[in-house]
Amino acid sequence: MKINSPLEAYKYLPQTNCGECGEATCMAFASKLIDRSGKTTDCSPLIKEKKFAKKLAELDRLLAPEIKEVEVGVGERAVKIGGDDVLYRHKLTFFNKTKMFFDVTDTMEEAALVERVKNIANFKKFYVGRHLLLDGVAIRSVSNDPAKFAAAVKKVAEVGIPMIFCSFNPEVLKAGLEAAKDANPLLYAANKDNWKEIGELALEYNVPVVVSAVNDLDALKTLAKTFAEAGIKNIVLDPGTCPTGKGMKESFSNFLKIRRAGIMGDTEIAYPIMALPFTAWMAGISDPVSASYWETAMAAVFTIRYGDIMILHSMEPYATIPEVHMAETIYTDPRTPVAVDSKMYKVGNPTADSPVLFTTNFALTYYTVESDLSSNGIDCWLLAVNTDGIGVEASVAGGQLTADKVKDAFDKSGFDLKKDVTHNTVITPGLAARLQGDLEDKLSANILVGPMDSGRLPGFMEKNWPPKK
C-alpha cells in the first residue's frame, strides 16, 4: 500500500528533529519525501543507525513509485521517464513530464544531420517563467549498416543530448553502443524475434531498453517479465502506435490498460510507455503539413494518456510549440500554483523617476504584466506580492492581497518609496482599486489606480505619468 501523506511518512522517521536533513523538523522532511524533493538518504540517523534499518527498508518500499522510473542519457540533459503513482492528476500529481525525442536517420548527409541535431538541442521556448526544451534525438537505422549507424551516433553524441538507438538489428545497436560508450542511450527495440540478443546488449552495456509487441499485450508483458527476470531493470514498453482508424483506438485502449494495471499493482507491466506519433508520416498522408498536423494531434492524445516518452519528426514551430505546451500544461503540479519569487523586479533600466507598480506573484499574471511593460519600452519597478500564486482579482476577494501584504512585500524587498524614488507614488492594478485607501494609509504614499488590463498600461502612462505634484 502506497503512502501519500507526510503524516504517514513521519511514522517511519527517527522523530528527533535533529536538522541533519536540512529541515527544522522531521514532519517538514516527511513533506519533502512525499513531494519527492527529498530522499531518505538525506536523513543521516535513518541511514546510519541499525535500529532504523527495517523502517528504512519499509519506507523506501512505500515511497517507491508504482511505475518504474527510468533514466535516459547522462549529465545535465539526462531525462527521467515514468515514476507516476496515480491515474488522474488531481489525486496527487504527475511526475516526469512526457519526453520528446525527434528523429534523424543514418542515411542523412552529414551537414544536414548535424544541423537538425543542433536545432533539436538548441530549441528553446519561453513560457510562464521557464524555457521549454526538446529532450533528445532518436537515431533511426535506415541503412541497416552498423558502420553507417555508428558514424551517425558519433556525430549526434558530440552534441551531448540523450539518444534513442532505433533498429531491430542487434549488430547495428551494438555498433551504436560502441560508438557512444557511457552515453546511456535507450535501445529500441526488442521483439519476439530478437529479444535474446537485445537483452544481452542491455545487460552488457547496462542501458535501458524498449520491449515491443504491437497490439499484443500478453506478448508485451511476457517480454517485460523475461527481461526483468534476467536482471534488466530499466524497461520501457511499446504496445504499438497506430496513426489512424480502429488501430489508433486500439493503441489508445492499450495505453490505458497498461497504465491502469501498473498503478493497480501489476509490477510485471509497471513500466514507462513509449508512443510513436511519427507513424503519422507512414499513414499515406501525402501533404507534409497535414502529416505534421496529425502527428501533433497524436502527440497530444498520448501526452494526456500516459505516453512517457515519444518519437516525433516535424520540427516546424506549428508542431513543436503545441507539443511542448501540452506536456507542460498536463504535468503542472495542481497542488502548487505556478508562482514567481516575491520581490522587487526591474523592468528595463528604471531610475529614481521611474514608476513603481505591483502585481501578484502568480506567474501568468506577473509575466503578462512584465511583458506588456517591457514590450512597450516602459522602464519601471515591478513588485511581485506573495499571494500564494493567486491572481489579482481572486486574491483581493480571498484576502491574499491586502494593503498589509503589499507593505510587507515592500519592506522585505528593501525598497523605500521615500528614498529610492522621487515621486513616492505606487500604481495599483485596476482590479485592486478597492485597496487604494488602505494602501495610502499603510504606505504613506500617493496611490494611482491603474487600468483593469495591463495591456492598457502604455495609454495609461501617457496620460498619468509623471504624476501631478
Side-chain angles (χ1 to χ4, degrees):
M1 188 71 179
K2 288 284 299 180
I3 56 174
N4 290 313
S5 77
L7 191 60
E8 291 174 317
Y10 178 76
K11 298 175 184 178
Y12 295 89
L13 298 179
Q15 302 177 19
T16 58
N17 297 333
C18 64
E20 291 188 39
C21 61
E23 297 297 320
T25 65
C26 288
M27 183 60 78
F29 179 63
S31 297
K32 293 188 71 173
L33 290 177
I34 294 301
D35 68 19
R36 300 193 194 177
S37 60
K39 299 179 180 179
T40 53
T41 52
D42 297 331
C43 178
S44 296
L46 196 61
I47 298 298
K48 294 178 180 178
E49 297 183 30
K50 292 183 179 181
K51 64 180 180 180
F52 295 124
K54 287 186 178 179
K55 283 191 173 183
L56 173 61
E58 183 67 5
L59 183 58
D60 281 336
R61 185 185 69 80
L62 293 171
L63 289 172
E66 298 287 3
I67 304 301
K68 169 73 176 177
E69 189 174 74
V70 174
E71 185 167 321
V72 181
V74 293
E76 293 182 356
R77 293 293 296 263
V79 297
K80 292 180 179 179
I81 58 176
D84 281 323
D85 281 320
V86 293
L87 284 171
Y88 306 106
R89 187 182 68 166
H90 65 267
K91 290 189 174 181
L92 180 63
T93 188
F94 290 153
F95 296 94
N96 299 329
K97 71 179 179 181
T98 303
K99 300 303 185 291
M100 299 183 178
F101 284 62
F102 287 75
D103 74 327
V104 299
T105 70
D106 61 357
T107 55
M108 295 174 67
E109 293 291 335
E110 183 177 317
L113 173 69
V114 172
E115 180 182 9
R116 181 170 170 84
V117 171
K118 287 184 177 180
N119 287 339
I120 295 168
N122 296 332
F123 177 92
K124 186 182 292 186
K125 174 66 170 65
F126 185 78
Y127 179 69
V128 194
R130 67 195 76 186
H131 286 101
L132 308 182
L133 309 175
L134 304 182
D135 300 292
V137 176
I139 309 167
R140 296 195 293 121
S141 176
V142 175
S143 69
N144 202 32
D145 182 335
K148 284 188 176 181
F149 188 75
V153 167
K154 286 180 180 179
K155 286 296 178 183
V156 175
E158 290 174 0
V159 179
I161 59 175
M163 297 179 287
I164 301 175
F165 293 171
C166 302
S167 176
F168 293 112
N169 185 339
E171 293 181 6
V172 168
L173 294 179
K174 184 176 178 65
L177 290 167
E178 285 295 322
K181 290 182 177 179
D182 303 320
N184 194 38
L186 175 62
L187 300 185
Y188 181 92
N191 58 26
K192 63 182 179 61
D193 299 317
N194 65 7
W195 63 269
K196 186 175 182 180
E197 295 85 351
I198 302 298
E200 289 173 352
L201 288 176
L203 282 171
E204 179 182 352
Y205 292 89
N206 191 27
V207 294
V209 61
V210 178
V211 294
S212 177
V214 178
N215 286 335
D216 189 342
L217 297 188
D218 289 335
L220 188 68
K221 183 175 180 178
T222 299
L223 282 170
K225 182 180 179 181
T226 300
F227 274 39
E229 290 174 348
I232 300 171
K233 297 180 180 179
N234 295 317
I235 299 168
V236 179
L237 307 175
D238 170 29
T241 309
C242 184
T244 57
K246 291 183 179 179
M248 186 174 182
K249 182 180 179 181
E250 289 180 5
S251 297
F252 182 75
S253 177
N254 288 337
F255 274 61
L256 296 181
K257 290 175 182 177
I258 292 170
R259 184 49 48 92
R260 185 177 292 114
I263 294 295
M264 297 304 291
D266 187 346
T267 58
E268 294 178 350
I269 204 164
Y271 297 104
I273 309 174
M274 172 176 277
L276 302 172
F278 87 101
T279 55
W281 295 84
M282 304 172 186
I285 303 173
S286 58
D287 176 21
V289 175
S290 297
S292 180
Y293 165 80
W294 193 241
E295 178 183 51
T296 303
M298 292 175 64
V301 167
F302 291 107
T303 296
I304 293 170
R305 279 296 177 259
Y306 315 132
D308 298 292
I309 185 170
M310 55 181 60
I311 300 177
L312 304 112
H313 175 74
S314 178
M315 283 289 293
E316 295 294 339
Y318 54 73
T320 54
I321 291 176
E323 289 159 359
V324 296
H325 276 208
M326 174 64 77
E328 183 70 15
T329 301
I330 295 300
Y331 283 81
T332 297
D333 190 342
R335 302 169 300 174
T336 308
V338 182
V340 300
D341 292 336
S342 177
K343 65 179 184 179
M344 181 66 78
Y345 292 87
K346 292 182 180 180
V347 179
N349 297 296
T351 65
D353 297 321
S354 298
V356 179
L357 305 90
F358 74 84
T359 187
T360 73
N361 72 329
F362 176 43
L364 189 57
T365 297
Y366 171 81
Y367 283 108
T368 299
V369 176
E370 190 272 341
S371 177
D372 288 334
L373 291 167
S374 60
S375 63
N376 286 282
I378 301 173
D379 295 330
C380 62
W381 306 92
L382 180 59
L383 178 69
V385 180
N386 183 10
T387 59
D388 299 323
I390 301 175
V392 176
E393 188 171 22
S395 59
V396 171
Q400 291 86 2
L401 181 59
T402 63
D404 286 323
K405 283 282 191 79
V406 176
K407 184 180 186 306
D408 183 60
F410 271 108
D411 292 343
K412 288 181 177 178
S413 71
F415 193 92
D416 192 328
L417 288 165
K418 306 270 189 318
K419 297 179 181 179
D420 294 325
V421 289
T422 58
H423 48 74
N424 192 33
T425 299
V426 177
I427 300 173
T428 181
L431 293 171
R434 69 164 112 166
L435 301 180
Q436 182 179 15
D438 289 343
L439 286 169
E440 289 174 344
D441 293 339
K442 295 291 183 181
L443 299 177
S444 300
N446 178 37
I447 304 298
L448 290 180
V449 177
M452 304 288 279
D453 184 341
S454 62
R456 299 178 183 176
L457 278 170
F460 174 86
M461 291 297 185
E462 288 181 10
K463 295 179 181 179
N464 298 280
W465 198 264
K468 295 178 182 179
K469 295 184 180 180

Short mmCIF file of all heavy atoms in Angstrom, two decimals, residues 125-151:
data_model
loop_
_atom_site.label_atom_id
_atom_site.label_comp_id
_atom_site.label_asym_id
_atom_site.label_seq_id
_atom_site.Cartn_x
_atom_site.Cartn_y
_atom_site.Cartn_z
N LYS A 125 11.77 27.58 -25.88
CA LYS A 125 10.56 28.40 -25.93
C LYS A 125 10.25 28.91 -24.53
O LYS A 125 10.01 28.13 -23.61
CB LYS A 125 9.39 27.57 -26.46
CG LYS A 125 8.03 28.29 -26.42
CD LYS A 125 7.98 29.47 -27.35
CE LYS A 125 6.55 30.03 -27.46
NZ LYS A 125 6.06 30.59 -26.18
N PHE A 126 10.27 30.24 -24.37
CA PHE A 126 9.97 30.83 -23.05
C PHE A 126 8.48 30.75 -22.79
O PHE A 126 7.66 31.13 -23.62
CB PHE A 126 10.43 32.28 -23.01
CG PHE A 126 10.27 32.91 -21.65
CD1 PHE A 126 11.19 32.64 -20.64
CD2 PHE A 126 9.20 33.75 -21.38
CE1 PHE A 126 11.04 33.21 -19.39
CE2 PHE A 126 9.05 34.31 -20.12
CZ PHE A 126 9.97 34.04 -19.13
N TYR A 127 8.13 30.25 -21.60
CA TYR A 127 6.72 30.06 -21.27
C TYR A 127 6.53 30.15 -19.76
O TYR A 127 7.03 29.32 -19.01
CB TYR A 127 6.25 28.69 -21.78
CG TYR A 127 4.81 28.36 -21.47
CD1 TYR A 127 3.77 29.04 -22.08
CD2 TYR A 127 4.49 27.34 -20.57
CE1 TYR A 127 2.45 28.72 -21.80
CE2 TYR A 127 3.17 27.02 -20.29
CZ TYR A 127 2.16 27.72 -20.91
OH TYR A 127 0.84 27.41 -20.64
N VAL A 128 5.83 31.16 -19.33
CA VAL A 128 5.48 31.37 -17.92
C VAL A 128 6.69 31.18 -17.00
O VAL A 128 6.67 30.35 -16.08
CB VAL A 128 4.32 30.45 -17.47
CG1 VAL A 128 3.75 30.92 -16.14
CG2 VAL A 128 3.21 30.43 -18.50
N GLY A 129 7.74 31.90 -17.29
CA GLY A 129 8.89 31.93 -16.39
C GLY A 129 9.91 30.84 -16.56
O GLY A 129 10.86 30.75 -15.79
N ARG A 130 9.76 29.99 -17.58
CA ARG A 130 10.74 28.93 -17.79
C ARG A 130 10.91 28.69 -19.28
O ARG A 130 10.10 29.13 -20.10
CB ARG A 130 10.30 27.64 -17.09
CG ARG A 130 9.05 27.01 -17.68
CD ARG A 130 8.46 25.98 -16.74
NE ARG A 130 7.77 26.61 -15.64
CZ ARG A 130 7.25 25.95 -14.63
NH1 ARG A 130 7.37 24.65 -14.55
NH2 ARG A 130 6.62 26.59 -13.66
N HIS A 131 11.97 27.97 -19.63
CA HIS A 131 12.22 27.64 -21.02
C HIS A 131 11.83 26.18 -21.27
O HIS A 131 12.26 25.28 -20.55
CB HIS A 131 13.69 27.86 -21.38
CG HIS A 131 14.05 29.31 -21.51
ND1 HIS A 131 14.71 30.00 -20.51
CD2 HIS A 131 13.84 30.20 -22.51
CE1 HIS A 131 14.89 31.25 -20.89
NE2 HIS A 131 14.37 31.40 -22.10
N LEU A 132 10.98 25.98 -22.27
CA LEU A 132 10.59 24.64 -22.67
C LEU A 132 11.58 24.13 -23.71
O LEU A 132 11.90 24.85 -24.67
CB LEU A 132 9.17 24.64 -23.24
CG LEU A 132 8.09 25.30 -22.36
CD1 LEU A 132 6.73 25.18 -23.03
CD2 LEU A 132 8.07 24.67 -20.97
N LEU A 133 12.05 22.90 -23.53
CA LEU A 133 13.09 22.32 -24.39
C LEU A 133 12.59 21.04 -25.05
O LEU A 133 11.62 20.43 -24.60
CB LEU A 133 14.34 22.01 -23.56
CG LEU A 133 14.90 23.12 -22.67
CD1 LEU A 133 16.06 22.57 -21.83
CD2 LEU A 133 15.35 24.32 -23.49
N LEU A 134 13.28 20.65 -26.12
CA LEU A 134 13.12 19.31 -26.66
C LEU A 134 14.13 18.42 -25.96
O LEU A 134 15.19 18.88 -25.51
CB LEU A 134 13.33 19.30 -28.17
CG LEU A 134 12.43 20.27 -28.95
CD1 LEU A 134 12.69 20.12 -30.45
CD2 LEU A 134 10.96 20.05 -28.65
N ASP A 135 13.85 17.13 -25.86
CA ASP A 135 14.60 16.30 -24.92
C ASP A 135 15.72 15.46 -25.50
O ASP A 135 16.66 15.10 -24.78
CB ASP A 135 13.62 15.39 -24.17
CG ASP A 135 12.59 16.18 -23.40
OD1 ASP A 135 12.97 16.85 -22.43
OD2 ASP A 135 11.41 16.17 -23.80
N GLY A 136 15.64 15.10 -26.78
CA GLY A 136 16.69 14.25 -27.30
C GLY A 136 16.50 13.90 -28.76
O GLY A 136 15.59 14.39 -29.44
N VAL A 137 17.38 13.00 -29.23
CA VAL A 137 17.42 12.60 -30.64
C VAL A 137 17.23 11.10 -30.74
O VAL A 137 17.88 10.33 -30.01
CB VAL A 137 18.75 13.01 -31.29
CG1 VAL A 137 18.83 12.49 -32.72
CG2 VAL A 137 18.93 14.52 -31.26
N ALA A 138 16.34 10.68 -31.63
CA ALA A 138 16.15 9.26 -31.94
C ALA A 138 16.85 8.98 -33.28
O ALA A 138 16.46 9.54 -34.30
CB ALA A 138 14.67 8.92 -32.02
N ILE A 139 17.87 8.15 -33.23
CA ILE A 139 18.65 7.84 -34.45
C ILE A 139 18.11 6.56 -35.05
O ILE A 139 18.24 5.48 -34.47
CB ILE A 139 20.15 7.69 -34.12
CG1 ILE A 139 20.64 8.89 -33.30
CG2 ILE A 139 20.97 7.55 -35.40
CD1 ILE A 139 22.00 8.69 -32.67
N ARG A 140 17.51 6.67 -36.24
CA ARG A 140 16.91 5.51 -36.90
C ARG A 140 17.88 4.92 -37.93
O ARG A 140 18.44 5.63 -38.75
CB ARG A 140 15.61 5.90 -37.59
CG ARG A 140 14.53 6.35 -36.62
CD ARG A 140 13.15 6.40 -37.26
NE ARG A 140 13.05 7.43 -38.27
CZ ARG A 140 12.74 7.21 -39.54
NH1 ARG A 140 12.55 5.97 -39.98
NH2 ARG A 140 12.65 8.21 -40.40
N SER A 141 18.07 3.63 -37.85
CA SER A 141 18.94 2.94 -38.80
C SER A 141 18.13 2.56 -40.04
O SER A 141 17.45 1.54 -40.07
CB SER A 141 19.55 1.68 -38.17
OG SER A 141 20.30 0.98 -39.13
N VAL A 142 18.21 3.43 -41.05
CA VAL A 142 17.54 3.16 -42.31
C VAL A 142 18.41 2.28 -43.20
O VAL A 142 17.93 1.43 -43.95
CB VAL A 142 17.20 4.48 -43.03
CG1 VAL A 142 16.61 4.23 -44.42
CG2 VAL A 142 16.22 5.30 -42.18
N SER A 143 19.72 2.45 -43.07
CA SER A 143 20.66 1.70 -43.92
C SER A 143 20.82 0.24 -43.48
O SER A 143 21.19 -0.61 -44.29
CB SER A 143 22.04 2.36 -43.86
OG SER A 143 22.62 2.21 -42.56
N ASN A 144 20.56 -0.02 -42.18
CA ASN A 144 20.82 -1.34 -41.58
C ASN A 144 22.30 -1.71 -41.66
O ASN A 144 22.67 -2.87 -41.64
CB ASN A 144 19.97 -2.43 -42.24
CG ASN A 144 19.81 -3.65 -41.35
OD1 ASN A 144 19.76 -3.54 -40.12
ND2 ASN A 144 19.74 -4.84 -41.94
N ASP A 145 23.13 -0.69 -41.74
CA ASP A 145 24.58 -0.86 -41.84
C ASP A 145 25.21 -0.42 -40.52
O ASP A 145 25.14 0.75 -40.15
CB ASP A 145 25.12 0.00 -42.99
CG ASP A 145 26.62 -0.16 -43.19
OD1 ASP A 145 27.33 -0.54 -42.24
OD2 ASP A 145 27.09 0.11 -44.32
N PRO A 146 25.85 -1.35 -39.77
CA PRO A 146 26.44 -0.99 -38.48
C PRO A 146 27.42 0.16 -38.56
O PRO A 146 27.44 1.04 -37.68
CB PRO A 146 27.14 -2.28 -38.03
CG PRO A 146 26.35 -3.36 -38.68
CD PRO A 146 25.95 -2.81 -40.02
N ALA A 147 28.25 0.21 -39.62
CA ALA A 147 29.25 1.27 -39.74
C ALA A 147 28.60 2.63 -39.94
O ALA A 147 29.00 3.63 -39.32
CB ALA A 147 30.19 0.96 -40.91
N LYS A 148 27.59 2.70 -40.81
CA LYS A 148 26.90 3.96 -41.05
C LYS A 148 26.17 4.42 -39.78
O LYS A 148 26.16 5.62 -39.46
CB LYS A 148 25.90 3.82 -42.20
CG LYS A 148 26.54 3.81 -43.58
CD LYS A 148 25.47 3.86 -44.66
CE LYS A 148 26.11 3.94 -46.05
NZ LYS A 148 25.10 4.02 -47.12
N PHE A 149 25.58 3.48 -39.09
CA PHE A 149 24.86 3.84 -37.87
C PHE A 149 25.83 4.37 -36.81
O PHE A 149 25.56 5.38 -36.16
CB PHE A 149 24.11 2.62 -37.33
CG PHE A 149 23.20 2.95 -36.17
CD1 PHE A 149 22.00 3.61 -36.38
CD2 PHE A 149 23.54 2.60 -34.87
CE1 PHE A 149 21.15 3.91 -35.33
CE2 PHE A 149 22.70 2.90 -33.80
CZ PHE A 149 21.50 3.55 -34.03
N ALA A 150 26.97 3.72 -36.67
CA ALA A 150 27.97 4.16 -35.70
C ALA A 150 28.47 5.57 -36.01
O ALA A 150 28.67 6.39 -35.11
CB ALA A 150 29.13 3.17 -35.66
N ALA A 151 28.65 5.86 -37.30
CA ALA A 151 29.11 7.19 -37.71
C ALA A 151 28.07 8.25 -37.34
O ALA A 151 28.42 9.34 -36.86
CB ALA A 151 29.39 7.21 -39.21
#
